Amino acid sequence: MYVYHFKANFKKGKNIVKHTYKFDVSSSIDYNYHFNYVLTAANRWANKQIDDFTLIVEMEDSEEFNINKTFFKSKDEWQIEGKGKVIEIEGKANTAMEKDALRFQMQEGRLVFKKKNFHPDGELEIYSFNKHIQSMLNKDYRFYLPFSVYMSDSFELEKPANPFQREIMSTLPFARKGYVFKDNKFNYKT
């Protein structure tokens, strides 16, 4: 667990705070990440708000991630600058992965959230939601997608038994990132 902080000396009048955080969350295709950013500290400032707030979220191309509805109410408050779509997720529990959220499926570009006289009532929570990993975590480990790398007992990952298994292993990284193949034998529908 890491905590990044900075000291800010505010002066009477207009103050501009601009900072950037870059997270290297690269691990593997099947890696879930989760990180938070504290926004509610602004409620302790002298004017109890951020007068002119802009949040920009930039991810790599072809990325799918969720942002919990902790400081905003609607997907209409976000702008997608580039190619992507957003889906409303209705939460069923009070865990980080099951709160009301927006799921962003970004092909390319960035997200922008702007608000005047912003009184944040929650923190920024961004996390990936890999369906393949979540299936494993929520079930009893008997459910795997066809030809999942987790089915290592069904064939040797290092030595696929036949040409089709070799094709599956070579296309798996692309399939996990949502690539739609021209050959339907590789397209998995959920």
Side-chain angles (χ1 to χ4, degrees), residues 69 71-78 88 102 104 113:
K69 289 184 177 180
F71 62 92
F72 63 94
K73 304 283 185 244
S74 162
K75 68 180 182 178
D76 298 330
E77 297 176 76
W78 291 87
E88 297 263 357
L102 297 180
F104 293 95
F113 176 87

Side-chain angles (χ1 to χ4, degrees), residues 3-190:
V3 175
Y4 299 95
H5 59 90
F6 60 92
K7 187 173 183 169
N9 295 317
F10 294 104
K11 297 178 180 143
K12 190 172 184 177
K14 183 177 181 179
N15 290 274
I16 297 174
V17 178
K18 182 178 180 180
H19 48 115
T20 302
Y21 291 93
K22 189 173 192 173
F23 295 91
D24 181 9
V25 294
S26 178
S27 177
S28 73
I29 305 158
D30 289 333
Y31 178 72
N32 279 336
Y33 55 84
H34 184 200
F35 57 91
N36 297 339
Y37 184 82
V38 176
L39 297 171
T40 57
N43 295 324
R44 295 188 298 274
W45 295 356
N47 65 347
K48 309 281 191 240
Q49 69 181 19
I50 303 172
D51 296 338
D52 188 357
F53 178 73
T54 301
L55 171 68
I56 299 171
V57 178
E58 292 186 60
M59 297 287 200
E60 295 291 324
D61 290 348
S62 301
E63 191 70 36
E64 183 174 327
F65 56 94
N66 291 4
I67 299 180
N68 283 341
K69 289 184 177 180
T70 53
F71 62 92
F72 63 94
K73 304 283 185 244
S74 162
K75 68 180 182 178
D76 298 330
E77 297 176 76
W78 291 87
Q79 297 172 340
I80 296 176
E81 294 179 352
K83 293 181 185 175
K85 68 179 182 175
V86 60
I87 302 166
E88 297 263 357
I89 304 297
E90 189 174 316
K92 298 177 185 124
N94 207 14
T95 64
M97 300 291 233
E98 295 179 347
K99 290 181 180 176
D100 288 345
L102 297 180
R103 177 164 300 144
F104 293 95
Q105 297 170 332
M106 297 295 294
Q107 237 179 332
E108 63 183 24
R110 64 189 196 163
L111 298 174
V112 179
F113 176 87
K114 292 183 180 187
K115 194 79 141 178
K116 299 280 188 184
N117 303 318
F118 183 45
H119 301 269
D121 55 359
E123 316 304 355
L124 170 65
E125 298 177 21
I126 299 177
Y127 58 95
S128 66
F129 186 81
N130 187 314
K131 292 176 273 208
H132 315 298
I133 292 213
Q134 239 13 73
S135 295
M136 286 180 44
L137 295 175
N138 294 334
K139 307 241 188 237
D140 60 4
Y141 290 94
R142 287 182 296 190
F143 172 76
Y144 299 113
L145 294 176
F147 304 104
S148 167
V149 292
Y150 299 108
M151 293 180 64
S152 57
D153 56 342
S154 66
F155 67 89
E156 291 288 326
L157 295 176
E158 292 79 25
K159 298 177 189 172
N162 58 52
F164 184 62
Q165 286 182 355
R166 281 192 290 281
E167 282 184 279
I168 292 293
M169 293 308 294
S170 67
T171 59
L172 188 61
F174 304 101
R176 293 281 170 86
K177 285 300 222 174
Y179 181 83
V180 178
F181 297 94
K182 290 179 183 173
D183 188 338
N184 279 333
K185 70 182 174 184
F186 297 122
N187 293 323
Y188 176 77
K189 303 285 186 204
T190 55

